[in-house]
Each structure stands twice: as C-alpha cells, then as structure tokens.
Amino acid sequence: MSNAPALDTLAQDFVAFAVESKVLRFGEFKTKAGRLSPYFFNAGLFDDGAKLGRLAEFYARRLIASGLQFDMLFGPAYKGITLAAAVSIELARLGHNKPFAYNRKEAKDHGEGGTLVGAPVQGRVLIIDDVISAGTSVRESIEMIKAAGATPCGVTIALDRQEKATANGQDAAESAVQQVQGQYGLPVVAIATLADLMGFLDGQSDPALVAARPAVQAYRQRYGV
C-alpha cells in the first residue's frame, strides 16, 4: 500500500494548522532576498504549548514516514533550539527516543564556530530548522557537526518554499533546498511545500484564501523551481 496519500494529508493538515495559527499569512511581505512575497511563514508564532506540541507532532510524523535514519537532532540557534527540544519529546512519545543538541550563537563572535550544548554530538546527526532561506544556518551546522567528529545525515524543515535562491542579487537556477541537497548530498525532509500550499488554496471557499491564490500562483510561476 502506498504511503503517498497519507503524506499528502499530513502536508494539507499542516498548512491548515499554520493558517489557523496565523503562522502562515497572506498579503505582501518583503523576503530576505528583497522579493515581494504574497505569503509569509513565521515559525516563531508557534508560541504556546499547544501550538508547539502540534508542530512537533507534524515534524515527528513526517520524519518517521520518511524512513530517514538518524541518531540525534541538532538545532541551530535560535529557532532550531526549541524545535530540536520539542521534536525530541514527540519522537520519544512515539517510541523513537533520540538525544538532541544545539549551539550557542554568542561564541561565533570569537571565531569558535559556536559552543555546543546538550547531548554529545556523535553518529548520524539530523539538522532541524523552520525553513532554508539562504542555507547559511545549515552550512554552519554542518561545519559544527563535522568538527565534533559526527556525520550530518539530513535536514528537516517545516516549509519548503520551492523558490529560486539568490546570489549577489541574481536569481539562481535552484532553490536553497536544492543547493543544500546538491552541495552536501543531504536529503531535506519538509513537512509541506509550496506545491502543498497551492493544493490547500485550491480547495478553499473562504473568500480571503480564494483571493490569495492568484498572487501565490503568479509568485510561484515567476520564482518557483
């Protein structure tokens, strides 16, 4: 029996949850790359126990369904710290008890590459973050994990925007996620993608969501990969 429909359902449920939690909003927002995006995903707004617990459940279910093998979680400062802790709790609840670690950002000022906190960084290490925008935190995490003598084995994120990365103000051919996959040979496991977001908008009758769809579609046609 194929797992695909269940995975699609998980993504749709996650997008609905993000919209309901006002973490995923529609309008006009300037991205780090300077683009005007018709939607904005701010994982920092999963800001109470119920929302964070539900977010962790989505991550854990997606990771288990992916079949990706890992020994521990690593959360890059700052958003990754909360994510690593919350998801490790949910994984343990589901029978997959994994240690987690994170870095303290302050140490980077002294060129130390960060100070690691939590479980010893060893074995196959899965990096957890909210999104991959420029891939900077992933690159830094890979360096820290390798410096500790461990092996980066993948990245998990909440939303893959599936849009072209930028370099020196120019659009790249690939997305930041594709660049991470290509440069480091690491799988990237996302709870949901821009395609899932479009699928969600296709099935809506709420006037505000119906009105948001053309702008998201146009943005995807211009910047999508």
Side-chain angles (χ1 to χ4, degrees):
M1 192 173 98
S2 169
N3 281 335
L7 294 182
D8 290 347
T9 302
L10 187 68
Q12 292 301 305
D13 289 348
F14 175 70
V15 173
F17 165 57
V19 170
E20 179 189 313
S21 303
K22 296 186 170 51
V23 168
L24 180 57
R25 290 180 293 147
F26 301 96
E28 196 168 78
F29 308 92
K30 197 159 192 176
T31 70
K32 280 183 189 172
R35 295 172 183 158
L36 282 180
S37 171
Y39 71 98
F40 182 55
F41 180 80
N42 180 4
L45 296 176
F46 290 117
D47 55 7
D48 64 33
K51 284 185 281 200
L52 182 60
R54 218 164 149 218
L55 173 63
E57 183 187 347
F58 280 110
Y59 270 108
R61 286 173 60 197
R62 175 61 88 218
L63 284 171
I64 292 166
S66 77
L68 182 65
Q69 298 298 304
F70 60 96
D71 299 311
M72 68 179 295
L73 289 167
F74 180 82
Y78 290 100
K79 282 180 183 169
I81 298 174
T82 305
L83 294 173
V87 175
S88 69
I89 292 169
E90 182 61 18
L91 284 168
R93 194 182 71 81
L94 295 172
H96 301 263
N97 190 24
K98 305 282 185 186
F100 71 95
Y102 55 92
N103 68 297
R104 270 204 304 252
K105 228 171 187 176
E106 304 80 66
K108 287 182 185 169
D109 292 341
H110 311 294
E112 295 292 321
T115 301
L116 301 181
V117 184
V121 176
Q122 56 194 21
R124 298 165 298 183
V125 184
L126 177 66
I127 299 161
I128 183 166
D129 215 338
D130 56 344
V131 294
I132 297 176
S133 297
T136 310
S137 72
V138 171
R139 278 189 283 277
E140 290 172 353
S141 298
I142 288 169
E143 286 168 17
M144 286 185 275
I145 291 163
K146 286 182 172 174
T151 307
C153 70
V155 185
T156 183
I157 55 175
L159 182 70
D160 178 358
R161 288 180 62 101
Q162 294 183 307
E163 69 180 72
K164 293 172 181 173
T166 56
N168 304 317
Q170 300 295 310
D171 291 345
E174 299 175 305
S175 70
V177 167
Q178 288 171 331
Q179 288 177 343
V180 165
Q181 289 170 323
Q183 286 171 17
Y184 303 106
L186 295 179
V188 177
V189 176
I191 303 172
T193 65
L194 178 56
D196 295 314
L197 170 54
M198 289 303 304
F200 170 80
L201 291 174
D202 283 343
Q204 297 307 304
S205 55
D206 179 314
L209 295 176
V210 170
R213 191 191 180 286
V216 177
Q217 177 65 31
Y219 187 83
R220 188 185 185 195
Q221 282 174 342
R222 181 166 177 191
Y223 297 114
V225 292

